[in-house]
Amino acid sequence: ASSRLQHEYVPSAHLSAACTCLAWAPVGARQPPSKDGPQRKKRKSEVGEVDKQLDILAIGTAVGSILLYSTVKGELQSKLDGGHDSRINCVRWHQDSCCLYSCSDDKHIVEWNTQTCKVKCKWKGDNSSVTCLCISPDGKMLLSAGRTIKLWDLETKEVYRHFTGHATSVSSLMFTTVKPMNESKPFDGITGLYFLSGAIHDRLLSVWYIRSDRKEKNAVMSFTVTDEPTFVDLTVSEVKEEPVKLAVVCRDGQLHIFEHILNGYCKKPLTSNCTIQIATPGNDGDSTPKPVPILAAAFCTDKQSLLLVYGNTLQPIIEKVSLNTSESHICLVRDIQKVLSLKTDAALTKVKTPVVNSDTKVLVPGIPGHSTALKTPASGKEKKKSKRKPGETEESIEERLGALDIDVSKVKTPGGLPQTDSFAVLLVQGLESNDAEILNKVLNTRKENIVKNTVARMPIHAVIPLLHELTKRLQGNPYSASLMVRWLKSVFTLHASYLSTLPDLIPQLGMLYQLMESRVKTLQKLCRLHGRLFILVTQVAASQTVQDVPEVNQTAKLVYEDDSSEEEGSDDEMIADKDSDENWDEDEEKEEQSDEQDMTVEKEINGDSDLEPENESEEE
């Protein structure tokens, strides 16, 4: 009521095992539940109006353990271990109090006995992490969700129904009805009930209907909000005509209120009946009103008024607001500054400027060899300046450096080039900061003595990182590999004794060894290939030189014809000769070709038939 902090508990391992989720145990946690008592699950939101009996709080942690904390005693009651080995996403108490259900990123759901602190049952809930749980009103069924939603029978631990769920991991699950709408059929405790689900990065809350058959897996209706839902609360409808009231707090700090009678399928997403926002009045200093985020909201027992939690998470303000749903948009003006009493101290610097005499010489840190023109401060004014007023801005580092008045152009490094000792320092710096520019500068040196000296002067702890860096660079192009081999050689020769003392040397150098092996293996094949390519290239070059020689003219300058050959020639040849005689002047080339043909024909005839000596001599 006073929105003051009532109780605070920090687990001993809150840094290593951060709290991820929590749930209040039902009121009758110690005694067995009465038969005629309310069968409705207690929600986190009812913390404000419960009596002192509400005591045990189950807290899930990021490492997989669950803490049971007693708020009345103010101490840790017990710790549940050994069920999960990953972050716990949701814890839910069963109505019969002794049982606690938890789900985790390790894909499992665990049923705990809180009296003995032992695991009662553990089973795989999904193929990915299970993010949300909800127990049915009669306590016989359990809803679990990762992305898809499953309804489990708690006796047999088997899936009773599947639902398609959301594209992202589900963050909230809750039943919206206690009894089915059509009361004609006998009620088995689950069929005919509606439940609601919301997921991260999803602006739609879906409502699902549990049917008697397994056919329908999709949502029957959906509610649309402005941003991802962070906190959901609802009034459960117990009578047929009673609408379900739903309060959804979004990440953008708005609260949406829906009022709807759940009566079957609805195609379009339903928009909110009322949107509530909170803002500052913005009248004093600041003229613009600023939005105040709503952190959570819960319905009171009368179902007509809401408890709103808004403001800062460190010091939230809780306020009871009665609903007026006739307006579609309500903006509540609240001045938080008056409620929040966070003191902000004016920043004061502890720097004091020393009083300096005119004849003293002051050495200032900087580049060696430079001289700074020191300005002696006028004591009174400077002292006033050192204590900065809250409104003033501090001098930037650039201005301060400018005040030092260092002329970089005058400062020269002796000898021009960096020396080997500076190379060693640069190399270590480059390896520690993983700066490619520095490493390239150092490792691309070709001089053997610089490489040796640098490796000799580098500290022992940098040897293994250097080896890893060289291994990485050896896999690059051959040019860099040839440079890296020099470094490798000097590392192995100079630091062999240190390397031999390392127990895990073989796995450390495994990559390098395999690299060398693979390169050496291919050497023989590459040599063969090189040889073959060399032969091919030389042959190609030789053939080109042959082609370059000028061609000899093959046509005969003079043709001598025999009488005997003319007689033996065929009639066709005779006709051809007559023709060629007539066209002598016109076509010289044709005649030469035909004469050549005559010659070849004569040779064939004479070579085969004329075996007489005279003819042979004539032929010769």
Side-chain angles (χ1 to χ4, degrees):
S2 61
S3 75
R4 263 198 220 108
L5 184 65
Q6 193 177 352
H7 193 101
E8 187 168 11
Y9 166 60
V10 180
S12 56
H14 69 281
L15 294 175
S16 58
C19 301
T20 54
C21 55
L22 46 89
W24 288 95
V27 177
R30 291 284 145 258
Q31 65 271 24
S34 55
K35 298 276 180 185
D36 54 355
Q39 288 288 305
R40 190 161 65 80
K41 196 171 112 276
K42 292 288 175 194
R43 294 184 305 278
K44 299 180 204 177
S45 55
E46 291 181 14
V47 179
E49 70 254 17
V50 291
D51 50 8
K52 289 290 177 192
Q53 282 178 293
L54 196 61
D55 173 22
I56 306 292
L57 188 62
I59 306 168
T61 62
V63 290
S65 57
I66 298 170
L67 311 173
L68 297 183
Y69 179 74
S70 168
T71 51
V72 174
K73 294 174 189 170
E75 60 182 30
L76 188 66
Q77 189 169 302
S78 51
K79 189 178 178 183
L80 309 179
D81 260 331
H84 296 290
D85 49 13
S86 188
R87 173 196 158 100
I88 290 178
N89 291 318
C90 187
V91 282
R92 287 282 178 266
W93 289 88
H94 196 270
Q95 282 86 325
D96 90 6
S97 75
C98 277
C99 276
L100 179 73
Y101 292 90
S102 62
C103 64
S104 164
D105 281 352
D106 64 6
K107 308 174 189 177
H108 286 81
I109 301 170
V110 174
E111 182 180 2
W112 300 88
N113 184 343
T114 52
Q115 302 286 352
T116 60
C117 299
K118 295 274 169 68
V119 176
K120 233 174 156 186
C121 182
K122 180 177 178 179
W123 72 96
K124 189 175 178 180
D126 209 325
N127 289 330
S128 58
S129 60
V130 186
T131 54
C132 205
L133 297 176
C134 181
I135 295 163
S136 67
D138 66 344
K140 291 178 182 173
M141 295 280 182
L142 174 77
L143 279 172
S144 79
R147 287 193 178 99
T148 57
I149 303 170
K150 292 175 183 175
L151 182 65
W152 300 85
D153 188 337
L154 285 178
E155 280 182 30
T156 59
K157 307 289 187 288
E158 285 175 356
V159 178
Y160 180 70
R161 290 284 179 274
H162 272 284
F163 300 94
T164 45
H166 295 258
T168 51
S169 47
V170 175
S171 58
S172 53
L173 277 176
M174 46 185 70
F175 277 91
T176 55
T177 50
V178 179
K179 294 174 186 170
M181 291 301 165
N182 52 344
E183 289 155 5
S184 55
K185 294 177 186 175
F187 180 45
D188 62 353
I190 194 76
T191 307
L193 296 189
Y194 289 89
F195 68 91
L196 178 92
S197 69
I200 58 166
H201 312 309
D202 194 346
R203 294 196 300 109
L204 287 178
L205 288 140
S206 302
V207 176
W208 313 80
Y209 180 59
I210 300 163
R211 297 171 182 274
S212 53
D213 56 358
R214 286 171 177 250
K215 285 177 188 173
E216 191 64 53
K217 292 183 180 181
N218 295 333
V220 286
M221 64 183 80
S222 55
F223 300 107
T224 176
V225 287
T226 50
D227 202 347
E228 169 189 335
T230 54
F231 197 96
V232 182
D233 190 50
L234 49 84
T235 63
V236 178
S237 79
E238 290 163 0
V239 196
K240 188 178 179 183
E241 266 66 46
E242 188 188 359
V244 170
K245 284 185 181 175
L246 181 67
V248 185
V249 179
C250 297
R251 191 168 285 272
D252 58 6
Q254 293 187 43
L255 166 65
H256 300 277
I257 293 165
F258 299 88
E259 201 170 317
H260 189 73
I261 297 172
L262 302 175
N263 52 3
Y265 185 72
C266 179
K267 195 175 182 182
K268 283 186 179 177
L270 301 164
T271 52
S272 61
N273 297 38
C274 179
T275 303
I276 299 176
Q277 284 177 292
I278 300 177
T280 57
N283 42 22
D284 42 83
D286 236 0
S287 57
T288 52
K290 287 179 182 171
V292 178
I294 299 174
L295 305 172
F299 286 100
C300 299
T301 42
D302 62 351
K303 297 188 181 183
Q304 292 304 315
S305 51
L306 268 173
L307 276 177
L308 290 185
V309 183
Y310 60 89
N312 191 327
T313 45
L314 298 172
Q315 202 173 339
I317 301 158
I318 301 167
E319 187 187 329
K320 193 170 181 177
V321 179
S322 60
L323 285 178
N324 177 22
T325 47
S326 60
E327 289 180 46
S328 63
H329 201 104
I330 301 171
C331 185
L332 304 171
V333 178
R334 298 285 181 272
D335 192 0
I336 310 191
Q337 298 316 78
K338 288 174 185 171
V339 186
L340 284 177
S341 56
L342 294 173
K343 289 177 184 174
T344 52
D345 297 327
L348 295 171
T349 57
K350 292 181 181 177
V351 179
K352 289 180 181 176
T353 312
V355 181
V356 186
N357 296 332
S358 54
D359 58 344
T360 54
K361 188 183 180 185
V362 180
L363 299 174
V364 185
I367 303 168
H370 81 279
S371 55
T372 60
L374 197 80
K375 294 154 189 169
T376 52
S379 56
K381 288 178 187 173
E382 204 64 35
K383 273 185 182 174
K384 279 180 190 171
K385 277 187 185 174
S386 69
K387 286 202 172 181
R388 214 164 26 90
K389 288 171 190 169
E392 285 176 0
T393 53
E394 198 177 342
E395 274 190 335
S396 68
I397 292 173
E398 191 181 352
E399 288 165 358
R400 289 184 197 174
L401 288 173
L404 279 175
D405 192 30
I406 300 169
D407 190 5
V408 185
S409 60
K410 289 177 188 174
V411 182
K412 288 182 181 175
T413 52
L417 281 168
Q419 303 303 309
T420 46
D421 52 352
S422 65
F423 257 126
V425 173
L426 271 176
L427 182 61
V428 174
Q429 281 178 356
L431 289 170
E432 280 174 1
S433 62
N434 207 359
D435 191 330
E437 202 174 328
I438 297 175
L439 289 171
N440 288 341
K441 195 173 182 180
V442 176
L443 295 175
N444 285 350
T445 46
R446 292 164 163 275
K447 292 180 180 176
E448 290 281 343
N449 58 341
I450 290 182
V451 172
K452 275 185 184 172
N453 291 343
T454 308
V455 173
R457 291 184 185 189
M458 67 185 281
I460 289 291
H461 66 80
V463 172
I464 290 294
L466 177 62
L467 277 178
H468 286 316
E469 182 62 33
L470 292 175
T471 310
K472 205 159 67 178
R473 284 164 180 263
L474 272 169
Q475 295 166 21
N477 62 345
Y479 171 71
S480 70
S482 64
L483 287 174
M484 294 313 120
V485 169
R486 297 178 187 183
W487 283 90
L488 267 180
K489 183 183 172 185
S490 44
V491 168
F492 285 139
T493 48
L494 294 165
H495 294 289
S497 53
Y498 163 66
L499 288 170
S500 59
T501 60
L502 294 176
D504 57 346
L505 182 67
I506 294 168
Q508 292 269 27
L509 298 180
M511 182 82 158
L512 187 63
Y513 190 71
Q514 285 173 356
L515 197 73
M516 298 283 190
E517 284 275 270
S518 60
R519 294 236 169 154
V520 172
K521 266 184 188 171
T522 52
L523 183 65
Q524 201 175 2
K525 292 178 183 176
L526 283 170
C527 288
R528 284 182 193 167
L529 183 64
H530 179 265
R532 288 176 184 176
L533 285 172
F534 182 72
I535 291 168
L536 275 172
V537 169
T538 47
Q539 284 183 351
V540 168
S543 65
Q544 277 178 349
T545 51
V546 170
Q547 282 172 9
D548 291 345
V549 175
E551 287 186 8
V552 182
N553 194 7
Q554 296 289 327
T555 52
K557 293 275 193 256
L558 179 79
V559 180
Y560 168 71
E561 289 179 9
D562 241 0
D563 297 339
S564 59
S565 64
E566 276 176 17
E567 289 166 11
E568 284 171 345
S570 60
D571 300 338
D572 295 340
E573 284 167 11
M574 293 292 282
I575 295 158
D577 285 351
K578 283 174 188 174
D579 291 345
S580 60
D581 286 340
E582 288 165 11
N583 306 332
W584 176 257
D585 298 324
E586 292 169 9
D587 221 345
E588 280 184 31
E589 286 179 32
K590 281 186 183 177
E591 190 181 346
E592 280 178 6
Q593 283 175 4
S594 62
D595 287 347
E596 276 180 35
Q597 284 175 359
D598 293 356
M599 285 289 284
T600 52
V601 173
E602 283 161 22
K603 277 182 187 176
E604 280 170 18
I605 296 166
N606 294 346
D608 292 343
S609 58
D610 295 359
L611 299 170
E612 293 167 22
E614 303 101 22
N615 284 0
E616 276 181 27
S617 62
E618 274 176 20
E619 192 59 47
E620 285 166 16

